[in-house]
Amino acid sequence: MFLEKELVIFDFDGTLIDSVPDLAASVNHTLKLLGKEAKEEGLIREWIGNGAKTLVTRALANSLNRGPKESEIEEALEIFLSYYKEHMCDATYLYPDAKETLKILKAYGKKIAIVTNKPSAFVKPILEKLKIVEYIDFYLGAEDAEHKKPHPAPLLKACEIAGVDIENALMIGDSKNDIEAAKACGMQSIVVSYGYNYGEDTSMLNADAMIESLREVVYLLGIKPRVAVVGGGIAGSSVVYHLGRLGAEVELFEQKSSLVDGPPMCHLHAGGNLYREISDEQCVQLLCESIELIRLYPFGIDYRPTVIAIPTYDEGSMEDLLPRLELLQKEYAHLVSKDPNNKLLGEVEEYFELFSKEEIESLAKLEPKENPQSPKEWLIPFAKETDLSQIKFPVLFVREFGLNLFRIAASAILMLESLPNVTLHLQSRVTNITESEDGFIVEYEHKGRRYKKRVDYLVNAAGFQSGVIDDMLGFKRDRFVEFKAAYVTKWEQTRYKWPEVIFHGKRATPQGMAQFTPYRGGHFQLHGMTKEITLFEEGLVKSTPLSAQPELDKKFIEKIFVGWSSEPLKERTQKAIWHLSRFIPSFKEAKLASKPLYGAQQIPGDDDTLRAADFSFEGRRYARCEIVKASSVISMADAIVAKLVALGFFQKEYVGRRFEPSLQEDEVQELAKLLAKQREYPTELALLTTPR
């Protein structure tokens, strides 16, 4: 409605500032010297709006119970002006969001004027005291035009001074004087719901729009936030897509040559059942977030279920997990009842199922299905190949699906390339960031050349290097960084379609959890949560009081940015194979297939067991994406949108809005295969074992 406006004209009292406390004090000082009783501030508020003389006249009329004589008005006005001149900004204050709104309008090249019925002599001192004078191009007071508002003369003069046509100007005020002046000259207007207006309902003024806060002006003028996102992993890419779909101008900085090229991800974590040590609250959060992630990346999900078993040597039991599973099933039912489109993990009653030893032994006698559907059919390979003497019963079947790193990456690239308001800066290293009064200056290097970008909002999605960005800005944040690896193997002897299989175990011990993730062509990704396989000695480090960036040992940095040497790779892969073959003996025939999937991830705070985390903030314009699991990206994006609402760039209704991309599965798959090849992995890792 107001997209082409060049000049924004604000009323002063009741719109940008609340001057009632000082005006009321000046009125009561005047009445006191004239021998009259003081009046309540609320009553005086209703008299404000037509200048000092009118205010004094109304105060006298109320005290005298008659119309005052001109001589009485002149005497009172002299007292009032003399006192107000010395006390005009004792208690006057800016309305919420006034300064922030003026900053943004100025930064986006809008001309800003104040047109008020207050005498000009009082305007500049208040602007200076409240520190907003730098944002105002000019102001017109009561005596600066031939007539005061509601006459159109001051608005016409403002347009003349600014060199702007009436149709390219906008009046924002709190009273009928402002709106009637705008209507009289054909100018569009916005009325604020607060302010004075003589106690009358501003909605009856028929302005072109009514707002509750000045921050809404930014959105109504069509000003889009300029956002920089540092880091193109799944967190950064997802936030960029979400903000881009909402209309923000987004710049994404990623030092690698493509997106989502970080630590291994293989599991949706629709309930967090892999992690016994985390709280029920985190598990419920992961369940809700996983459903959101499926809707955002439908072609990046491998819809094969998970089987979880507990080794005989482990202290835990499946019965310990049962209350949590029932809680998750109940939460899933709630999500589906709230929105049937959330039924993405299968039927609610089939979310999980327990199988006894006798049932597993019976399944071992059956022939595997080429395309298993039921829980029993999925369990046949597990039943036939697992050494049942090594595990406790019952065994858990749960609809925890897989994530395909390469298909997520391909989806993210295609999604962002489709948005004209998103700019990808690949192979671009951020070298410095400085904070300004109205945003940030991002300095970066690309192919040997240096550049700068000014933005309104900064999102730190730099993953394990998030502390580097914090350090640039002097922000403190406790965090861990952990280096991890998952090993890619090929088991040519298997002829089954496997579910994912988890054998629980105590983390960072020789009996750590074993994870068996199937891909096409007999490929399996292996985790062994021991320090000789997935985890590493000195691979978990913490930030210090001197730096928000935990310092990984040089050998891990070399692995991330240079690569692995062959001997440690072979040794660790073989240990991973052995770790799994304790439970699936025939898996000992598996071989090394490629380099591992590896990288470092951050864990915010001081609890290294945290698995569900989203975000944190510094001030009004800086966000950290601190997801530990990929499924947390949507709730994180919502929190950032809420911050942009508070700044006036978006409407409140934008929080919680969802977007599902329009992608073609074959296009995603072809790009995913290309990415796997470019990153030197088997292309089978880009294929799904179980499409939706």
Side-chain angles (χ1 to χ4, degrees), residues 6 8 10 98-112 135 172 214 217-219 221 223 649:
E6 301 173 37
V8 183
F10 288 94
K99 187 173 184 178
E100 195 71 43
T101 299
L102 293 173
K103 279 185 192 177
I104 293 171
L105 298 185
K106 196 70 175 175
Y108 279 81
K110 302 296 181 184
K111 296 177 181 178
I112 302 173
Y135 307 114
I172 301 173
L214 283 172
V217 172
V218 176
Y219 173 80
L221 286 170
I223 294 175
F649 288 111

Side-chain angles (χ1 to χ4, degrees), residues 385-641:
E385 297 292 340
T386 302
D387 181 352
L388 302 184
S389 69
Q390 298 297 314
I391 62 172
K392 298 178 182 180
F393 290 90
V395 167
L396 170 65
F397 170 95
V398 63
R399 294 196 180 274
E400 290 238 26
F401 298 148
L403 285 182
N404 187 291
L405 172 68
F406 302 102
R407 296 172 78 96
I408 295 283
S411 298
I413 291 167
L414 293 170
M415 287 155 58
L416 298 190
E417 286 180 345
S418 71
L419 298 177
N421 51 319
V422 168
T423 303
L424 300 181
H425 299 281
L426 300 178
Q427 295 179 292
S428 297
R429 184 175 65 89
V430 172
T431 56
N432 192 41
I433 302 175
T434 52
E435 188 172 8
S436 63
E437 190 176 10
D438 57 353
F440 297 88
I441 305 297
V442 179
E443 300 176 43
Y444 66 101
E445 189 175 80
H446 175 69
K447 295 184 177 179
R449 298 188 65 181
R450 294 179 177 271
Y451 303 88
K452 289 184 180 182
K453 291 281 183 180
R454 194 206 75 79
V455 295
D456 303 301
Y457 201 90
L458 178 65
V459 179
N460 179 355
F464 86 95
Q465 293 181 300
S466 294
V468 174
I469 307 301
D470 277 341
D471 283 350
M472 288 179 184
L473 293 161
F475 295 142
K476 301 298 181 184
R477 177 64 167 155
D478 290 335
R479 58 168 57 84
F480 293 90
V481 162
E482 185 171 36
F483 182 87
K484 295 165 68 175
Y487 301 88
V488 182
T489 62
K490 188 168 185 179
W491 186 18
E492 294 183 348
Q493 291 79 6
T494 189
R495 53 190 179 87
Y496 307 140
K497 186 172 184 177
W498 282 80
E500 176 143 350
V501 183
I502 305 295
F503 297 97
H504 269 166
K506 188 174 181 181
R507 196 176 196 273
T509 70
Q511 287 76 42
M513 181 181 73
Q515 184 173 347
F516 179 80
T517 304
Y519 289 87
R520 294 272 283 273
H523 290 86
F524 291 84
Q525 177 182 324
L526 309 181
H527 282 82
M529 303 308 283
T530 81
K531 291 187 177 180
E532 293 189 332
I533 304 174
T534 291
L535 309 178
F536 291 77
E537 288 288 349
E538 301 178 343
L540 178 68
V541 290
K542 195 177 188 306
S543 56
T544 70
L546 298 178
S547 174
Q549 179 59 40
E551 188 174 351
L552 272 175
D553 190 276
K554 182 180 177 181
K555 62 189 176 189
F556 299 118
I557 300 298
E558 287 180 352
K559 281 182 169 64
I560 293 170
F561 292 108
V562 179
W564 288 57
S565 57
S566 60
E567 285 308 312
L569 169 56
K570 291 177 182 177
E571 181 182 350
R572 282 185 170 260
T573 302
Q574 191 55 51
K575 287 180 178 179
I577 292 170
W578 176 84
H579 196 61
L580 263 296
S581 65
R582 292 179 302 160
F583 307 105
I584 305 175
S586 54
F587 187 68
K588 65 179 182 293
E589 302 297 330
K591 305 295 182 186
L592 169 69
S594 75
K595 65 181 182 180
L597 294 155
Y598 58 91
Q601 70 177 60
Q602 67 165 325
I603 306 170
D606 54 10
D607 177 7
D608 65 358
T609 68
L610 184 66
R611 288 296 174 269
D614 303 323
F615 47 81
S616 64
F617 299 96
E618 296 283 349
R620 290 164 61 90
R621 294 174 177 266
Y622 179 75
R624 298 184 191 90
C625 296
E626 298 181 315
I627 66 167
V628 179
K629 293 302 173 189
S631 52
S632 301
V633 296
I634 306 301
S635 55
M636 172 194 63
D638 267 345
I640 293 170
V641 171

Side-chain angles (χ1 to χ4, degrees), residues 29-30 56 71-85:
H29 173 79
T30 302
V56 168
S71 59
E72 292 173 320
I73 295 172
E74 292 300 327
E75 180 187 6
L77 182 60
E78 184 177 350
I79 297 170
F80 173 87
L81 292 176
S82 176
Y83 184 85
Y84 186 64
K85 183 178 180 181

Side-chain angles (χ1 to χ4, degrees), residues 142-192:
E143 68 280 13
D144 292 327
E146 189 175 350
H147 301 280
K148 296 188 296 184
K149 297 177 296 182
H151 197 280
L155 301 190
L156 292 170
K157 186 170 183 179
C159 289
E160 181 183 347
I161 293 171
V164 170
D165 294 334
I166 291 289
E167 58 267 25
N168 292 326
L170 174 68
M171 177 70 211
I172 301 173
D174 70 304
S175 74
K176 60 185 178 183
N177 287 337
D178 306 311
I179 307 309
E180 288 177 6
K183 287 180 179 179
C185 64
M187 184 182 295
Q188 286 189 299
S189 62
I190 295 174
V191 66
V192 298

